[in-house]
Amino acid sequence: MTQGLETLQTSSEPTVALALGGGGARGLAHIHVIETLDELGIRPVAIAGSSIGAIMGAGMAAGLSGADIRAHTLATVGRRKEIVNRLWSLRPASFSQAVGGFRVGQFSIERILPAFLPDAIPKDFSGLQIPLKVMTTDYYGQTERVCEAGDLHQALAASAALPAVFMPVRIDSRVMIDGGIYNPVPFDHLTGLADIVIAVDVVGGPDGDGETMPSRIDSLFGASQLMMQSIIAMKMKANPPDILLRPEVNRFRVMDFLRAQEVLTATAAVKDQLKTALDAAFSARART
């Protein structure tokens, strides 16, 4: 965190920190936020992320632009053929372990994720250009764990280890699962590190006509959304961020990565929302 603190102390312009939340494919909306900050020439002094937010945050912290992340996303997880090719590019033994016989909940994200990460994302936190906090959940410890040093790929895999889809990940002999379970939008870990904290909530909520009975899998993910929104609401009462963005993501499911372009199109309005909010925040600071 030294880099961020030094920037905060010496910069004459208001500094910004960024918290990117979990939400699976809905988190592709984070790309708009990163692109907008690029357009405005704003470089966060610190980034915190859960699940897909940790992965997107790692891309930005590694020096990738929003345009770079968009292009990589559409060229990889946005294409069915490319997903299959990247899985098959793993060595046979690794592929077998990665898919776990195609049983639900037995996919090893620790083996799959590196096949989809941009080459620019280093294997260790020390290779990042911006300090990054990656949220994970200690399953047996019943608490969150913040990863800030060491094996970055392992931390990202643990943060995105969504229960019922991926196997947990071991870090220092502890069993870790999706960071969004305990801290869906980790803006609280950026308090005091910047003048303006931006938080992006892509958890969403159950979407429908209010009468149709959800399927078993929709009930599972919908219940998870409701619990995470409850956590966010309590944290908002305690210590809200300066800016909270909620892109329109409700109609997308957590694994809708093949609808990447559709997610991006549907959530484009968040760009103008961020610009308006930043203008207000900067103006308010200028008056004080």
Side-chain angles (χ1 to χ4, degrees):
M1 245 349 107
T2 303
Q3 178 183 347
L5 289 174
E6 288 177 350
T7 304
L8 177 58
Q9 292 167 357
T10 61
S11 175
S12 59
E13 295 294 326
T15 54
V16 170
L18 180 63
L20 301 176
R26 297 184 290 266
L28 299 182
H30 291 319
I31 293 173
H32 292 304
V33 174
I34 298 172
E35 288 178 330
T36 301
L37 294 177
D38 289 342
E39 291 173 19
L40 298 175
I42 296 174
R43 184 177 174 83
V45 297
I47 301 172
S50 291
S51 197
I52 186 70
I55 295 172
M56 292 289 175
M60 188 180 198
L64 289 171
S65 68
D68 293 333
I69 297 172
R70 175 190 288 262
H72 181 81
T73 298
L74 294 178
T76 54
V77 296
R79 296 181 180 179
R80 186 183 303 274
K81 184 177 180 181
E82 185 64 20
I83 291 175
V84 173
N85 287 342
R86 285 179 180 252
L87 289 176
W88 277 109
S89 71
L90 300 172
R91 290 188 297 178
S94 297
F95 179 77
S96 175
Q97 291 172 315
V99 300
F102 295 100
R103 291 175 293 173
V104 174
Q106 292 299 307
F107 292 86
S108 172
I109 190 162
E110 194 170 5
R111 293 182 177 275
I112 293 173
L113 184 61
F116 292 89
L117 290 176
D119 292 338
I121 295 181
K123 293 184 178 180
D124 195 275
F125 278 86
S126 61
L128 296 174
Q129 299 177 17
I130 300 173
L132 175 68
K133 294 173 177 280
V134 174
M135 301 296 119
T136 63
T137 298
D138 186 326
Y139 183 75
Y140 290 110
Q142 302 175 38
T143 187
E144 68 180 1
R145 172 169 172 168
V146 184
C147 298
E148 302 178 81
D151 191 327
L152 175 59
H153 287 191
Q154 183 184 56
L156 294 177
S159 187
L162 181 66
V165 177
F166 298 112
M167 294 187 298
V169 174
R170 288 188 184 276
I171 296 181
D172 297 333
S173 300
R174 302 297 301 178
V175 176
M176 302 293 169
I177 60 173
D178 187 351
I181 297 296
Y182 210 93
N183 199 336
V185 190
F187 53 82
D188 50 314
H189 286 280
L190 299 175
T191 301
L193 298 182
D195 298 313
I196 298 170
V197 174
I198 302 169
V200 189
D201 172 15
V202 291
V203 170
D207 187 48
D209 59 13
E211 297 180 359
T212 302
M213 293 293 288
S215 66
R216 182 177 63 176
I217 193 68
D218 283 343
S219 293
L220 175 64
F221 288 127
S224 177
Q225 287 175 297
L226 294 175
M227 288 187 288
M228 286 190 279
Q229 287 295 357
S230 176
I231 293 171
I232 295 170
M234 287 188 289
K235 292 204 311 171
M236 286 293 293
K237 290 180 179 178
N239 187 24
D242 300 284
I243 297 172
L244 176 65
L245 301 171
R246 284 188 161 127
E248 294 292 332
V249 295
N250 283 1
R251 60 188 166 112
F252 299 104
R253 295 182 177 182
V254 69
M255 298 303 289
D256 271 348
F257 288 100
L258 288 174
R259 299 174 68 186
Q261 183 57 66
E262 190 178 344
V263 174
L264 289 169
T265 300
T267 57
V270 76
K271 284 191 169 186
D272 286 336
Q273 293 168 8
L274 176 54
K275 290 176 181 177
T276 299
L278 279 171
D279 184 61
F282 274 64
S283 296
R285 290 197 63 85
R287 292 193 297 270
T288 59

